[in-house]
Amino acid sequence: MVRTVRGDWEDIGAALNVALPRCRVTTLGREVEFGEPEHPADVRLAGASLPEVSRVYALLTGRGAEGELSFRRGAGVDEIVITCRVGPFGQPAVEFCLVEELALRLGDLYGVGVAPVRTRARATGRDTGRVTGRAGP
């Protein structure tokens, strides 16, 4: 399953922290690819490192199926392309859950410093409007 979303690259980790347990998936490892900047001299002068262009995670589901989840920068501003494949023949329910939860969380976090984690109806993916965590004083 592939989906392009608008989000902040630095929020991928936070989105994974919410999406993985909701979909009963864990990561086994991560690979990061760094790209060449448009103006290498400017980057060296500023002392900045090369930007990440993709992240790839090895996955393991609660039922023991292995998979791969990747993020790569899209063509547009703040676009992130999410690709997920689970099992040798695919597992659409797991793939859909993971990609949708990631897209929703990246959307919640886009352009803001923090955002509440909202509960979502598991079957439909719709936002229930409730905020997780303790209630009251």
Side-chain angles (χ1 to χ4, degrees):
M1 172 171 222
V2 178
R3 180 161 178 193
T4 301
V5 300
R6 189 166 301 270
D8 297 316
W9 188 261
E10 62 272 7
D11 290 334
I12 291 173
L16 282 168
N17 288 338
V18 171
L20 291 171
R22 285 185 175 178
C23 300
R24 296 187 174 104
V25 177
T26 190
T27 58
L28 299 174
R30 176 179 92 163
E31 293 180 20
V32 177
E33 179 185 344
F34 296 93
E36 290 297 322
E38 289 184 28
H39 306 287
D42 294 339
V43 171
R44 277 193 296 264
L45 290 174
S49 61
L50 296 177
E52 283 186 33
V53 293
S54 72
R55 292 186 193 179
V56 179
Y57 294 85
L59 302 176
L60 183 65
T61 69
R63 295 185 177 208
E66 294 183 1
E68 185 175 275
L69 174 67
S70 69
F71 299 89
R72 66 179 167 77
R73 292 187 189 269
V77 175
D78 292 334
E79 279 187 359
I80 301 172
V81 180
I82 305 170
T83 306
C84 184
R85 177 80 172 170
V86 177
F89 304 107
Q91 291 187 5
V94 175
E95 295 167 8
F96 178 82
C97 177
L98 204 48
V99 170
E100 287 301 304
E101 287 291 342
L102 287 164
L104 289 168
R105 188 63 184 150
L106 285 168
D108 288 346
L109 294 170
Y110 182 56
V112 298
V114 296
V117 175
R118 300 188 182 278
T119 58
R120 305 215 194 274
R122 187 177 290 267
T124 63
R126 291 190 323 232
D127 190 344
T128 63
R130 292 179 291 164
V131 177
T132 60
R134 290 181 44 205

